Amino acid sequence: MKRISLTQYLVEQQREHGRIPSQLRLLIEVVARACKRIAISVNKGALGDVMGSADTENVQGEVQKKLDVISNEVLIEANEWGGHLAAMASEEMDTIHLVPNRYPQGEYLLLFDPLDGSSNIDVNVSIGTIFSVLRKVGHHHGVSEQDFLQPGRFQAAAGYCIYGPQTTLVLTVGDGVAMFTLDRETGSFVLTEENVQIPADTKEFAVNMSNLRHWAPPVKRYIEECLAGKDGPRGKDFNMRWIASMVADVHRILCRGGIFMYPWDKREPEKAGKLRLMYEANPMAFLVEQAGGMATNGHDRIMDLQPGKLHERVSVILGSKNEVQRVTDYHRDTGAEAASQPAQAA
Ligand code: P6P
């Protein structure tokens, strides 16, 4: 594989495959440049005034870290002027952010979690920026939140940048998954993997085990079978990883397989899950499917879900196809059992 820059990769994809219109190429390059800026702040750590809490809350009611706010501002400022965007949406902002009238408007909508896994910032564990690109549909003037509420299968592009031992940008435009490692000497993202493939089977699961007692039966069944090991129904031993940083857990799965679950649980039964559909689950689902994996909410393909709200949450089960299919089948079997139960006496 030729070690080419992100720019050359995008130009070749545009020239040979016609998959990346120039506005989308500009958008991806601007996001990549913003991620380089974020990496500089993240890597400063305690040497810069970037650690700890910002003493503010986001729309989710979560206390923001200073780097959450910094990363959000970097992405907003980098993308406002280019003319490629109509508007942006972020985990850190209540409402959508329109491109100021002084700049030209484009056809794309950019959504992002500017710094996912921020609970890991202060303890030097990998974190990342997740982004999703949609097209503004229709020829109406102006943009509203409604324009963003499209199922994930309509994404034009998706990716993340992981700030770990390496700073790596992982990208799909619907033609497979490519990985670009930041060369700090030249300041360029360099192609280091393409046509990424997730093995269909795995022996590694990623879930926060402390929530076991709160899970629905199908999830409990799946994990208990994994824990039973080679003497149990799965006939093989499993390993567990949980970094509590979705970008890092998904990156591992793209690199060597595995299943990641943040399922619905009964702690807050009115919530579909913890993770957000529009700027966490959908972009990760696009990447995972493009790498031959699978992503469901236990019942349906994540990328087929019709969003009702910008910040809505979803149950996430993604990774090695055969494992995700098994968990999804367990949900269906439970549903079938439930359906066959006589209606509870009134
Ligand atoms: P828990 C990080 O805050 C995050 O949104 C994901 O990156 C991660 O997978 C999950 O939450 C971790 O949640 O409940 O295990 O701390």
Side-chain angles (χ1 to χ4, degrees):
M1 175 185 56
K2 286 190 300 177
R3 287 246 187 276
I4 58 174
S5 69
L6 172 66
T7 300
Q8 184 174 342
Y9 174 87
L10 294 174
V11 167
E12 290 180 356
Q13 282 283 319
Q14 182 180 13
R15 184 186 304 145
E16 290 161 21
H17 306 279
R19 296 193 67 87
I20 307 182
S22 56
Q23 293 242 343
L24 181 58
R25 178 159 66 83
L26 171 61
L27 192 168
I28 294 168
E29 293 207 87
V30 166
V31 169
R33 204 172 302 125
C35 290
K36 279 191 262 187
R37 287 271 313 280
I38 293 168
I40 289 166
S41 295
V42 167
N43 292 156
K44 277 200 170 67
L47 297 176
D49 181 22
V50 298
M51 303 287 265
S53 167
D55 297 328
T56 52
E57 276 193 2
N58 65 14
V59 63
Q60 332 286 345
E62 295 164 339
V63 174
Q64 292 175 303
K65 299 282 190 181
K66 286 179 186 169
L67 271 172
D68 284 324
V69 176
I70 292 166
S71 305
N72 192 63
E73 286 165 1
V74 166
L75 282 159
I76 295 286
E77 288 162 19
N79 281 283
E80 273 188 330
W81 48 267
H84 51 282
L85 282 187
M88 293 177 248
S90 165
E91 179 188 60
E92 302 303 332
M93 300 186 299
D94 299 17
T95 58
I96 65 171
H97 179 90
L98 300 179
V99 169
N101 290 333
R102 65 182 178 278
Y103 298 127
Q105 311 272 314
E107 64 168 302
Y108 291 103
L109 304 171
L110 177 65
L111 303 94
F112 46 83
D113 180 353
L115 205 59
D116 181 73
S118 48
S119 61
N120 287 310
I121 292 172
D122 299 342
V123 294
N124 199 11
V125 170
S126 298
I127 49 186
T129 297
I130 309 173
F131 63 92
S132 171
V133 182
L134 292 167
R135 292 178 185 85
K136 181 188 166 194
V137 178
H139 300 291
H140 54 281
H141 185 68
V143 192
S144 71
E145 181 172 310
Q146 194 60 36
D147 290 301
F148 283 79
L149 302 183
Q150 303 175 36
R153 65 177 180 274
F154 292 114
Q155 291 173 96
Y160 60 79
C161 189
I162 180 169
Y163 311 111
Q166 303 95 43
T167 293
T168 301
L169 182 78
V170 179
L171 173 71
T172 186
V173 293
D175 186 25
V177 175
M179 296 186 174
F180 304 84
T181 302
L182 181 61
D183 177 343
R184 293 187 180 283
E185 290 167 16
T186 62
S188 293
F189 278 111
V190 176
L191 180 67
T192 46
E193 288 296 336
E194 57 182 338
N195 303 320
V196 173
Q197 287 299 311
I198 299 175
D201 296 300
T202 183
K203 294 181 178 177
E204 198 160 69
F205 65 85
V207 72
N208 182 338
M209 285 298 291
S210 70
N211 299 329
L212 186 145
R213 65 188 182 282
H214 304 304
W215 293 332
V219 174
K220 274 186 189 167
R221 173 185 173 189
Y222 176 78
I223 292 296
E224 285 166 352
E225 289 181 354
C226 291
L227 295 175
K230 60 181 180 299
D231 301 328
R234 299 301 311 274
K236 61 183 181 178
D237 290 337
F238 281 75
N239 193 15
M240 192 199 100
R241 287 285 182 276
W242 187 247
I243 305 173
S245 177
M246 186 185 198
V247 170
D249 282 312
V250 170
H251 191 71
R252 186 190 57 254
I253 288 168
L254 283 171
C255 292
R256 71 185 193 210
I259 181 170
F260 171 98
M261 299 198 292
Y262 212 113
W264 170 92
D265 71 49
K266 61 187 178 189
R267 287 177 293 173
E268 296 183 279
E270 74 290 348
K271 285 183 182 176
K274 172 177 184 181
L275 302 178
R276 286 81 175 187
L277 174 60
M278 297 302 296
Y279 39 78
E280 288 176 335
N282 270 338
M284 292 309 203
F286 194 12
L287 287 163
V288 164
E289 286 197 6
Q290 283 291 311
M294 189 174 172
T296 77
N297 64 356
H299 301 276
D300 303 301
R301 182 186 182 221
I302 282 179
M303 290 214 290
D304 283 340
L305 299 177
Q306 174 56 54
K309 291 182 294 185
L310 189 61
H311 297 290
E312 79 179 57
R313 297 169 189 266
V314 67
S315 174
V316 178
I317 298 163
L318 60 77
S320 292
K321 186 170 50 178
N322 292 343
E323 293 302 311
V324 175
Q325 186 63 59
R326 175 184 288 267
V327 180
T328 306
D329 290 348
Y330 288 0
H331 281 79
R332 187 204 54 222
D333 298 351
T334 307
E337 282 163 21
S340 66
Q341 298 303 321
Q344 296 300 321

